[in-house]
Amino acid sequence: KSMGALSCRSLAFEGTSFELATVRLDRAARATYDASCELWRDMRRIFDLSIDEGHVGKNQRSEFWASQQRFFKGLVVAAKVTAAVRFTTEALARGEEAVVLSLWTTNESVTAKASKEDLDEGGSSRFGDGFASGPELTVEQLLDKHFPSKNAIGEPLQWAVDAIQGFKSRLYALKLPPNPIDDLIDRLGGPEAVAEMSGRSSRHTRDPVTG
């Protein structure tokens, strides 16, 4: 590293200070969080029923809980975007030359998987007219890949199909926030004003003509 032969993504903390800032959810954000909890509660009931009836293996529980963890992590991070933008603009107004923001995830894995599925089906990416939502895609992929729609002999499970469609309708009605990294870049002036240092292979930006 001292010779510059290796890259180091860590930043030195020399001369830095730390301050905790509590971001309180507004009424709309609290309503979204509560509705999300209710959605996951109901999905678990159907998932447990599917396991009890032998339509889903018990080892799939780990997929359910991992998806739930990713969902709420994304929701919590997204809730901090507005405050992060405010802190950034205040720092720039004080004359600070640069502000560094660190995020837990870019959500590239889940968005890339969804885009690939769209293209494999012969269509265009569903994100052509906006930013993706990591939490929304997490639930979509859990429902599509790990909830049953047929029994062991290939017959449709109508109650399960109806439940999945109902969950998706509730999911889309939540209007979940976009990926924090895309939202931050957009709110802070776009790629011309924000330098992104991440491992993402691609990103979505706002069209200057259509908005």
Side-chain angles (χ1 to χ4, degrees), residues 35-209:
S36 297
C37 291
E38 293 173 359
L39 174 62
W40 279 95
R41 176 201 62 197
D42 295 342
M43 288 198 304
R44 183 190 174 187
R45 289 173 178 169
I46 294 298
F47 200 72
D48 286 344
L49 176 62
S50 301
I51 292 176
D52 292 341
E53 295 191 357
H55 303 304
V56 176
K58 291 183 178 180
N59 61 336
Q60 293 296 303
R61 287 189 192 275
S62 61
E63 293 289 345
F64 182 92
W65 293 118
S67 295
Q68 187 197 57
Q69 186 179 49
R70 288 194 298 271
F71 176 92
F72 282 103
K73 180 180 73 172
L75 201 60
V76 168
V77 173
K80 303 177 182 180
V81 169
T82 298
V85 171
R86 185 177 73 252
F87 294 148
T88 300
T89 53
E90 290 174 353
L92 294 173
R94 291 194 299 268
E96 298 183 25
E97 294 184 359
V99 177
V100 178
L101 300 173
S102 178
L103 293 172
W104 279 343
T105 177
T106 63
N107 285 315
E108 182 183 35
S109 176
V110 68
T111 54
K113 185 182 297 183
S115 292
K116 183 178 184 303
E117 290 172 354
D118 290 343
L119 296 175
D120 287 346
E121 292 174 0
S124 58
S125 173
R126 72 188 75 178
F127 315 127
D129 60 350
F131 297 134
S133 171
E136 181 178 291
L137 291 174
T138 294
V139 175
E140 269 191 6
Q141 293 178 12
L142 175 68
L143 291 171
D144 289 341
K145 296 185 178 300
H146 299 288
F147 272 63
S149 58
K150 298 179 181 179
N151 60 21
I153 59 176
E155 297 174 334
L157 294 170
Q158 194 58 49
W159 61 268
V161 173
D162 292 343
I164 291 171
Q165 292 304 316
F167 291 146
K168 286 186 176 181
S169 295
R170 291 168 61 184
L171 172 67
Y172 301 144
L174 290 174
K175 304 296 183 183
L176 294 171
N179 283 341
I181 187 169
D182 294 320
D183 200 13
L184 279 169
I185 292 173
D186 184 56
R187 294 202 206 184
L188 292 171
E192 294 77 13
V194 181
E196 176 186 346
M197 294 184 293
S198 73
R200 293 202 296 179
S201 59
S202 63
R203 67 183 174 200
H204 291 269
T205 59
R206 186 179 299 276
D207 189 317
V209 177

